[in-house]
Amino acid sequence: MNRSAEIICIGTELLLGDIVNGNAQYIAQQLASLGISHHYQTVVGDNPLRIQRAVAIACDRARLLIFTGGLGPTPDDLTVATLAEFFDTPLAERSEVVADLKAKFANRGRKLNDVSRRQATLPEGADILPNSVGTAPGVIWAPRKGLLVMTFPGVPREMKAMWQETARPYLQANGWANGVIHSRTLKFWGIGEETLAAKVQSLLDLENPTVAPYAGDGEVRLRISARASSVEAANEIIDPVAQKILQLSSRYCYGQDNDTLAKVVGQLLQTQSLTLSVAESCTGGGLGQLLTATPGSSAYFWGGVISYDNRVKRGLLGVDEGVLNSCGAVSKEVATLMAEGVRDRLGTDWGLSITGVAGPGGGSDEKPVGLVYIGLASAAETLTQKHLFGTDLSRDQIRQRSALSALNHLRLRLISAEGSVS
């Protein structure tokens, strides 16, 4: 029997982009944790005809329809009435909901009015899905054989409470849960999506687990998803595939799931009892911000210099004026001296520098927008990389990729010092 679910989010504000649809993300994650297949999501505005069309389509391809939004007392709260009309079901006021509304309004020092009382009018035969946080209840309803409908308010706090307190236990108790669909995401930096996909091509056709590549802003991810009886069992299925991927591309994989480059670099520095300082030009403090976003970063990150002007490069970092004049601020030589200078001035084990042309102006044929140099200095050596991020990226994208590439530059060097990278 097809027991897949469809999420239908109602609200013109979603279509206009005024609100990010976090409800769909949350419910999708919850469905996966119950092992309930979920192939479609629909967003529809506050229009009864269009809502009914969306419901008609969903009924043909899913057995569990989960609605968010459109519950409440205002004129645009159309979900319950529209569903009742679609399924040709009368509406009736529920005395228990009226009593609950009166108590909640009294608790706020108010009297229940006729407009808010409309929330107590629900389809006949539907079970109430209580709302312990807000006023608008949802329903758990089987309007047709083999079809289950659940409705939730659009307010995320209310929806989440209703899901955890009532909807999730209901689905588990009534045979909807089917183990779990658990995923692990491997994160990569310094390799393109097509190149990574080619390396793991033989794994992309697996059925359980499945492997799917995703490209972000400079980052590539491989999501490995398995269906199993439990998270532990799913991880047993995922582990060998993850190991195979790492064998094929370990140099580029910096972490998984909630890992960030800054967090991973911090762990490596802390493990090796090393300290870091940074010198930034075009990133304007972005690299330091990434590092200090990790709790406990003061154990290894000592500080930085935002040397946006050449006078700061000379005065605080000791960059030679002759080098600045002959090579320019955006050059391998200056990046090298910036890294060495900040390391020397702050007394850290490593110094990391960034200088480049973030745009949109300031580029030339010799030094185009997107040209960035990253310097990395230790007591033993200074390694400087040249990056061409391209003129098609925005200023913010170039700055972000510069900072993350600098962290990855240091990550690779620290791993190499541990003997993990050839």
Side-chain angles (χ1 to χ4, degrees), residues 217 357-361 369-370 372 389-402:
D217 194 4
V357 185
V369 170
V372 175
F389 292 115
T391 59
D392 58 327
L393 299 182
S394 70
R395 178 180 177 84
D396 286 345
Q397 287 176 313
I398 291 171
R399 284 155 55 97
Q400 180 76 355
R401 292 197 187 188
S402 298

Side-chain angles (χ1 to χ4, degrees), residues 30 59-60 69 75 103 117 183 203 207 234 258 295 314 335 341 346 374 379 386 394:
Q30 290 296 311
C59 287
D60 286 337
R117 186 168 179 149
S183 298
L203 304 174
E207 294 185 359
N258 296 322
R314 292 194 304 267
L346 273 67
I374 297 171
K386 175 182 178 180
S394 70

Side-chain angles (χ1 to χ4, degrees), residues 276-281 287 329 331-343 350-356 372-378 381-387 402-403 405-410 413:
L276 171 68
S277 57
V278 301
E280 303 181 60
S281 184
L287 177 56
S331 63
K332 177 180 179 180
E333 291 80 4
V334 169
T336 297
L337 293 175
M338 287 171 62
E340 292 173 348
V342 76
R343 176 187 173 275
W350 287 98
L352 188 57
S353 70
I354 303 174
T355 181
V372 175
Y373 289 95
I374 297 171
L376 178 61
S378 69
E381 61 185 353
T382 302
L383 306 170
T384 306
Q385 290 183 338
K386 175 182 178 180
H387 292 264
S402 298
S405 295
L407 289 173
N408 194 55
H409 187 20
L410 176 56
R413 186 64 192 85

Side-chain angles (χ1 to χ4, degrees), residues 74-120:
T74 60
D76 62 346
D77 291 320
L78 306 166
T79 300
V80 171
T82 303
L83 288 174
E85 181 180 349
F86 180 85
F87 290 112
D88 194 22
T89 302
L91 291 166
E93 185 177 88
R94 304 294 183 88
S95 59
E96 61 267 55
V97 178
V98 173
D100 180 65
L101 289 170
K102 286 182 176 179
K104 287 176 177 175
F105 272 71
N107 190 50
R108 300 172 187 175
R110 298 165 55 195
K111 184 178 180 180
L112 179 64
N113 56 46
D114 290 340
V115 174
S116 295
R117 186 168 179 149
R118 289 174 48 200
Q119 297 170 108

Side-chain angles (χ1 to χ4, degrees), residues 84-224:
E85 181 180 349
F86 180 85
F87 290 112
D88 194 22
T89 302
L91 291 166
E93 185 177 88
R94 304 294 183 88
S95 59
E96 61 267 55
V97 178
V98 173
D100 180 65
L101 289 170
K102 286 182 176 179
K104 287 176 177 175
F105 272 71
N107 190 50
R108 300 172 187 175
R110 298 165 55 195
K111 184 178 180 180
L112 179 64
N113 56 46
D114 290 340
V115 174
S116 295
R117 186 168 179 149
R118 289 174 48 200
Q119 297 170 108
T121 302
L122 302 174
E124 289 186 354
D127 293 326
I128 298 166
L129 207 171
N131 185 344
S132 63
V133 178
T135 58
V139 298
I140 300 176
W141 184 26
R144 291 178 183 172
K145 183 178 180 181
L147 180 69
L148 183 65
V149 171
M150 290 183 166
T151 65
F152 298 84
V155 180
R157 188 167 68 98
E158 297 180 25
M159 178 274 296
K160 291 177 181 179
M162 294 165 70
W163 178 273
Q164 293 297 337
E165 293 167 6
T166 305
R168 183 182 177 91
Y170 178 93
L171 292 170
Q172 290 173 316
N174 287 273
W176 282 89
N178 183 26
V180 300
I181 302 172
H182 179 64
S183 298
R184 184 185 309 170
T185 301
L186 302 182
K187 298 182 174 182
F188 300 80
W189 192 269
I191 186 171
E193 180 184 14
E194 292 182 0
T195 304
L196 180 60
K199 284 179 173 290
V200 300
Q201 184 63 49
S202 62
L203 304 174
L204 298 182
D205 294 328
L206 296 176
E207 294 185 359
N208 193 28
T210 60
V211 180
Y214 299 89
D217 194 4
E219 180 179 271
V220 183
R221 303 182 180 194
L222 287 178
R223 189 198 65 205
I224 313 169

Side-chain angles (χ1 to χ4, degrees), residues 310-311 313-314 319-329 334:
N310 283 349
R311 286 169 292 188
K313 293 181 178 70
R314 292 194 304 267
V319 177
D320 184 83
E321 186 171 5
V323 175
L324 280 167
N325 291 335
S326 61
C327 300
V334 169

